[in-house]
């Protein structure tokens, strides 16, 4: 069945350093790729997304890159801050037919002050 | 604009009981999806409703059911609760189906004793 692999499962970085989280998807019909941040006791919050007709998208310190040929997409956070500490989830979804999000298993990011 | 709201936020039940969870989507959103989140299985899709019709369903037993009302509010029901049903149940709303961005609520944490 469809699945999304996410790595690493945990990531510790020093404040100010960059963090990269990678996802690989299996369903060729996937063409929408959102990233969510989940803080303790809260629901996932959308932080950035990308559609398959775009290779890269940036929003201040956050960027996402997509390689449809390799079925890879990555989240890049630059100049990390302690408030970036959370669990990050990637997801993949087709945009037609019986669409549903398939989520990665999550990455716990710790930004050390 | 108010976000997705879920009630109740916390719930304790015993095995064999049933439970009903409620979700109010963002105003104007017609699609509601439900997810189960557990430490071991991550975020798993339960079902999606759009305009009062179930559009898609995940791989969960028939004890899990849902419905959507004409005002787009949705409920999910779990009958004959098992210990393994203990989880965070998340609701997400989107304007439409088919690859639209989903916005999550804070979740209902269910503990089955």
């Amino acid at each position: 069945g469809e699945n999304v692999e996410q790595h690493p499962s945990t990531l510790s970085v020093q404040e100010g350093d960059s963090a990269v989280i990678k996802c690989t998807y299996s369903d060729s019909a996937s063409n929408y790729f959102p990233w969510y941040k989940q803080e303790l006791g809260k629901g996932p919050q959308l932080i950035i997304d990308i559609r398959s007709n775009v290779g890269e998208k940036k929003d201040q310190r956050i960027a996402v890159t997509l390689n449809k040929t390799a079925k890879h997409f990555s989240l890049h956070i630059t100049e990390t801050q302690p408030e970036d500490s959370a669990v990050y989830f990637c997801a993949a979804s087709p945009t037609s037919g019986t669409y549903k999000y398939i989520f990665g298993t999550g990455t716990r990011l710790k930004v050390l002050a | 604009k108010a976000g997705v709201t879920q009630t109740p936020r916390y719930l304790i039940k015993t095995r064999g009981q049933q439970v009903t969870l409620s979700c109010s989507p963002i105003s104007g959103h017609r699609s509601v999806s439900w997810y189960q989140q557990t430490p071991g299985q991550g975020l798993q899709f339960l079902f999606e409703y759009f305009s009062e019709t179930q559009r898609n369903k995940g791989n969960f037993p028939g004890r899990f059911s849902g419905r959507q009302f004409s005002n787009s509010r949705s409920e999910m029901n779990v009958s004959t609760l098992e210990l393994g049903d203990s989880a965070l149940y998340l609701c997400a709303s989107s304007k439409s189906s088919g690859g639209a961005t989903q916005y999550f609520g804070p979740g209902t944490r269910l503990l089955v004793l």
Side-chain angles (χ1 to χ4, degrees), chain A residues 7 11 17-23 35 47-48 50 55-67 72-80 84 88 90 109:
Chain A
H7 299 282
L11 179 60
D17 286 350
S18 296
V20 180
I21 303 170
K22 299 182 179 182
C23 288
W35 284 89
I47 55 172
I48 195 167
I50 192 168
E56 182 176 356
K57 183 177 178 181
K58 290 185 72 173
D59 183 4
Q60 299 183 337
R61 298 186 296 109
I62 295 174
V64 56
T65 58
L66 171 64
N67 182 330
H72 289 167
F73 58 113
S74 300
L75 177 71
H76 305 254
I77 305 175
T78 58
E79 300 172 22
T80 53
D84 294 329
Y88 291 81
C90 63
L109 173 65

Side-chain angles (χ1 to χ4, degrees), chain B residues 27-65:
Chain B
S27 177
H29 285 195
R30 296 168 62 192
S31 171
V32 172
S33 297
W34 288 89
Y35 295 85
Q36 181 194 66
Q37 186 176 31
T38 59
Q41 299 297 318
L43 274 156
Q44 292 191 288
F45 174 76
L46 280 156
F47 28 66
E48 185 222 354
Y49 285 87
F50 180 78
S51 293
E52 302 178 65
T53 302
Q54 188 180 87
R55 291 284 302 267
N56 202 358
K57 191 176 189 305
N59 298 322
F60 279 82
R63 300 186 296 108
F64 293 81
S65 62

Side-chain angles (χ1 to χ4, degrees), chain B residues 34-100:
Chain B
W34 288 89
Y35 295 85
Q36 181 194 66
Q37 186 176 31
T38 59
Q41 299 297 318
L43 274 156
Q44 292 191 288
F45 174 76
L46 280 156
F47 28 66
E48 185 222 354
Y49 285 87
F50 180 78
S51 293
E52 302 178 65
T53 302
Q54 188 180 87
R55 291 284 302 267
N56 202 358
K57 191 176 189 305
N59 298 322
F60 279 82
R63 300 186 296 108
F64 293 81
S65 62
R67 59 179 176 168
Q68 187 179 34
F69 302 95
S70 58
N71 61 357
S72 294
R73 190 177 69 85
S74 177
E75 290 181 345
M76 68 162 281
N77 184 276
V78 188
S79 62
T80 319
L81 284 166
E82 300 177 0
L83 295 179
D85 296 334
S86 295
L88 181 68
Y89 290 88
L90 292 159
C91 159
S93 79
S94 58
K95 285 184 180 178
S96 62
S97 192

